[in-house]
């Protein structure tokens, strides 16, 4: 029972410039492979790199965080 974002919400989120990370939300080492589900759903979007924190450098991420305090 995963709670991934429904890909049908992507357009609305992207129009609002809401970043959408791709991650496994793992609570155990074996669950790290669950990132494949996020990648599959993201491919339906698709999510542009500029709105996907998973593609950002550490400096880009920190800059975004600092601009949203």
């Amino acid at each position: 029972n995963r709670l991934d974002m429904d890909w049908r919400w992507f357009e609305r989120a992207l129009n609002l410039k809401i970043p959408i990370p791709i991650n496994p939300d793992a609570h155990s080492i074996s669950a790290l492979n669950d990132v494949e589900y996020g990648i599959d759903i993201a491919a339906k979007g698709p999510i542009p790199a500029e709105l996907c924190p998973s593609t950002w450098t550490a400096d880009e991420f920190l800059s975004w965080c600092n601009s949203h305090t």
Side-chain angles (χ1 to χ4, degrees):
N1 293 354
R2 295 187 48 83
L3 299 175
D4 295 310
M5 180 177 171
D6 188 307
W7 66 271
R8 292 171 287 190
W9 285 100
F10 281 7
E11 184 176 356
R12 176 112 169 105
L14 297 177
N15 286 338
L16 294 171
K17 305 287 189 225
I18 298 171
I20 304 171
I22 300 171
N23 66 72
D25 190 29
H27 297 263
S28 67
I29 292 173
S30 63
L32 288 173
N33 289 330
D34 290 346
V35 74
E36 70 183 75
Y37 299 114
I39 292 169
D40 289 343
I41 291 172
K44 293 179 181 180
I47 302 171
E50 63 270 12
L51 286 177
C52 183
S54 305
T55 67
W56 299 349
T57 65
D59 287 338
E60 289 170 327
F61 180 72
L62 291 173
S63 176
W64 182 88
C65 290
N66 289 330
S67 70
H68 289 81
T69 57

